[in-house]
Amino acid sequence: MRQLAIIPHPDVKITLFSWNGKYLIKLEKGPFEQTYKVSELDLTGEEDIHLLLDQEFVQAAVQRFVGMQQDLQAAFDRHGI
């Protein structure tokens, strides 16, 4: 796996990798991460990744992180951990 770029964003850490004919877009916030795999054949180049990472996409990912935190906390609460 080869790291291609770290894409600055104020709310999440975004890292772009290339691996096995795919771009991997990794978003991290606190202890959580989301990885999106996109075939290199579906894009004309690395520049297209920046187009995909528009405000709407990143905002939805941030909301997903909130949901992930809520799900984990709910599991802790159910089991008294």
Side-chain angles (χ1 to χ4, degrees):
M1 186 171 347
R2 185 175 60 132
Q3 181 178 319
L4 301 176
I6 294 176
I7 301 168
H9 193 278
D11 297 321
V12 294
K13 178 180 178 186
I14 303 173
T15 310
L16 177 61
F17 297 95
S18 176
W19 179 70
N20 205 21
K22 293 180 175 48
Y23 289 111
L24 279 68
I25 306 165
K26 182 177 176 181
L27 294 91
E28 299 175 79
K29 185 170 180 76
F32 302 104
E33 64 181 47
Q34 300 172 44
T35 301
Y36 297 85
K37 297 178 184 177
V38 181
S39 173
E40 290 178 355
L41 299 175
D42 291 340
L43 304 173
T44 59
E46 190 179 322
E47 304 79 31
D48 285 351
I49 295 292
H50 296 274
L51 294 175
L52 290 176
L53 294 173
D54 61 11
Q55 181 179 354
E56 187 174 342
F57 179 88
V58 175
Q59 188 173 17
V62 169
Q63 283 304 115
R64 202 165 291 112
F65 281 125
V66 170
M68 292 168 75
Q69 173 61 45
Q70 291 169 344
D71 293 343
L72 181 61
Q73 187 60 53
F76 271 92
D77 293 345
R78 277 194 308 275
H79 300 285
I81 300 173

